Amino acid sequence: MSVWQKKRLLLLAGTVTTVVVASLVTLAVAGLPSMTMRNALTGAGRPALETPWGEPDLQGIWSRDVDIPLERPARYANQQFLSDDERAALDRQIADIIRRDSTESRRAPGTERDVNSEFSQEAFTVHLPVGRRTSLIVDPPDGRIPPLTPEAQKARTAFRQFQLALLQPTAACKDNHPGCAGGKYGPVSPRRNDPPPRYVGGTGATINRANGPEDRGLGERCIGGVIPDFGNFIGGFSRIVQAPGRVSIFYDISPGLGGFRSIPITTAPHLPATVRQWWGDSRGRWEGNTLVVDVTNFSPKADFQGAHQNLHLLERWTRLDAETIEYAVTIDDPTTWTRSWAVRQELKKQSDEANRIYYEPRCQEGNYGLAALLAGARASERAFAEGRGPDPATLCIVIVGCGGFVRGGFADDGPDADPFRPPRTP
């Protein structure tokens, strides 16, 4: 075959490919159901996309493209979906709050709250369009996290009382901010230097003290992030990479902070119960086109919504079409909740070319903030001892709980609170 004949064959093949791809794009734009498009791409009954070694292909950068709260807000108690008009109204209301300038009416000049966060937070947050569903939780049907067990409630109450003891001499309690709900303003507590009832870190587990690194939250210590991860107001995406017998996921948690997770595809048992890890021990298997991952062996220091070492996850990752993955997870811990609960979330594929990801976490190497915070706390103590400053115990340094707009550009309460979230707790 001559060179010219080879070129003609290549051109003809390229033309046919272009026509087929263009036809599929036209069908997709016209709203063709994802299953039909998958069959058109691969043939009915076959996986939508496969790796070269024949497993379902989940690879890519995946992120949510709408905002859906984990729990259903009380105002939508019996409503699973929002109408288009309701979504548009919420989008307008949210945009108005986060874009508003820091006017005098929003500020409290001369206060810690003013210094902490009484300025526009728009540049530091990610706000997506409101999604159609009113909660990521699909079971229980009310879209709420199940009640705590008596033992878990007792532990949570003990930790909350310790938090309030450290907050009581601060402006958070003096001015009745929501962060002091359940507490009262008063003198410095005799518990000021007591050890916490449990490890500090995770959901709501911060204390108003800086005696050492472990008094501070996990984010400040560059070890933040939990699984399951549903994203947050400063972003959050995942990159999935596969190899024969293994799936790796990189979680971007916040700027400069991320972590890797390795999932072996195996029938081997979990690690011995004596071996505990921050993100647990994962064991994956394929069920048709779905990656099913069983996760146990969490560390007692891990914290997902108040669950620790007894947390058990059953995750299901399914490629619905070329642009969508469904992530579903059943969450169980009989020592924390009275029943298991389930979440479902759709993630959209992002461009590999447009997104340049720095996989090495940059938080710790350049994290002068934590060292400076601890040094500042010691300087404040010296100044107070010398009569040159206020008692450091009366200063609110926990940030979340001290009032202001620090979480997502919304106030803790009032007209500037997030209209699409349950009331906030510290």
Side-chain angles (χ1 to χ4, degrees):
M1 183 182 293
S2 69
V3 173
W4 173 243
Q5 288 174 316
K6 290 180 180 179
K7 286 184 176 180
R8 290 195 65 183
L9 284 174
L10 289 172
L11 287 171
L12 178 60
T15 302
V16 171
T17 301
T18 301
V19 171
V20 171
V21 171
S23 299
L24 291 174
V25 170
T26 301
L27 290 171
V29 172
L32 189 69
S34 58
M35 181 60 74
T36 305
M37 185 172 181
R38 289 164 61 187
N39 291 341
L41 283 167
T42 63
R46 294 182 57 196
L49 295 166
E50 289 185 348
T51 62
W53 53 94
E55 292 178 343
D57 192 343
L58 305 178
Q59 298 181 102
I61 303 172
W62 303 94
S63 181
R64 60 203 170 99
D65 65 344
V66 293
D67 186 21
I68 301 173
L70 177 62
E71 292 190 272
R72 184 171 301 149
R75 64 187 290 193
Y76 303 109
N78 299 311
Q79 185 176 343
Q80 186 177 359
F81 299 99
L82 296 171
S83 68
D84 290 341
D85 288 343
E86 287 174 316
R87 294 172 67 194
L90 281 167
D91 284 332
R92 288 192 297 269
Q93 185 178 358
I94 290 171
D96 177 64
I97 292 172
I98 64 173
R99 292 175 181 170
R100 201 174 303 159
D101 289 333
S102 183
T103 61
E104 289 298 319
S105 63
R106 291 184 79 177
R107 297 179 58 189
T111 67
E112 291 175 330
R113 173 175 166 172
D114 185 38
V115 174
N116 285 342
S117 58
E118 294 292 87
F119 51 85
S120 173
Q121 298 280 318
E122 182 183 13
F124 311 105
T125 60
V126 173
H127 290 278
L128 300 170
V130 171
R132 187 171 299 279
R133 290 163 51 203
T134 54
S135 69
L136 290 177
I137 295 176
V138 293
D139 182 47
D142 65 1
R144 305 288 295 177
I145 297 175
L148 295 172
T149 63
E151 295 79 8
Q153 184 59 61
K154 182 179 179 180
R156 180 168 293 188
T157 299
F159 191 84
R160 179 60 178 154
Q161 292 303 314
F162 184 73
Q163 287 179 308
L164 292 172
L166 270 56
L167 273 177
Q168 72 179 27
T170 71
C173 292
K174 183 178 181 180
D175 298 335
N176 295 314
H177 290 312
C180 190
K184 61 181 180 179
Y185 181 64
V188 176
S189 171
R191 303 184 66 186
R192 170 69 184 174
N193 292 310
D194 287 357
R198 65 174 174 84
Y199 192 76
V200 175
T203 307
T206 56
I207 61 174
N208 191 53
R209 196 174 69 185
N211 286 356
E214 291 195 344
D215 276 354
R216 307 308 299 170
L218 298 183
E220 289 181 354
R221 294 158 55 197
C222 297
I223 51 175
V226 296
I227 61 169
D229 175 49
F230 306 118
N232 53 63
F233 68 83
I234 52 176
F237 63 83
S238 304
R239 175 147 200 178
I240 301 177
V241 176
Q242 293 174 238
R246 189 165 296 271
V247 175
S248 178
I249 306 177
F250 173 80
Y251 292 91
D252 179 83
I253 300 162
S254 65
L257 182 59
F260 291 92
R261 178 186 178 196
S262 183
I263 303 171
I265 309 301
T266 178
T267 58
H270 282 286
L271 294 171
T274 53
V275 180
R276 298 285 169 168
Q277 303 182 102
W278 278 103
W279 286 1
D281 179 50
S282 296
R283 291 289 183 268
R285 65 180 185 273
W286 292 104
E287 291 185 359
N289 296 332
T290 298
L291 173 65
V292 180
V293 187
D294 188 84
V295 194
T296 62
N297 293 57
F298 283 90
S299 166
K301 295 181 178 180
D303 188 330
F304 173 76
Q305 299 289 333
H308 308 289
Q309 68 269 25
N310 297 313
L311 179 64
H312 179 204
L313 306 177
L314 188 63
E315 302 173 299
R316 302 179 70 88
W317 304 77
T318 307
R319 186 84 175 254
L320 299 183
D321 55 43
E323 302 299 323
T324 312
I325 275 183
E326 180 185 83
Y327 174 64
V329 57
T330 299
I331 302 162
D332 185 52
D333 180 351
T335 65
T336 300
W337 301 292
T338 55
R339 57 161 292 183
S340 62
W341 48 291
V343 171
R344 188 172 70 244
Q345 183 179 43
E346 286 191 356
L347 304 172
K348 294 297 182 179
K349 197 172 190 303
Q350 309 300 310
S351 168
D352 291 329
E353 291 300 319
N355 293 278
R356 302 298 181 182
I357 303 172
Y358 295 91
Y359 294 104
E360 181 181 357
R362 303 171 306 286
C363 181
Q364 196 60 269
E365 289 183 341
N367 183 27
Y368 298 103
L370 180 58
L373 187 150
L374 297 176
R378 306 292 79 79
S380 294
E381 292 166 354
R382 289 193 297 271
F384 175 64
E386 297 169 2
R388 297 185 291 105
D391 186 345
T394 66
L395 303 177
C396 196
I397 61 171
V398 73
I399 304 301
V400 174
C402 296
F405 293 79
V406 73
R407 287 194 285 193
F410 299 102
D412 294 309
D413 57 4
D416 287 340
D418 189 342
F420 199 45
R421 287 292 189 279
R424 290 174 175 174
T425 56

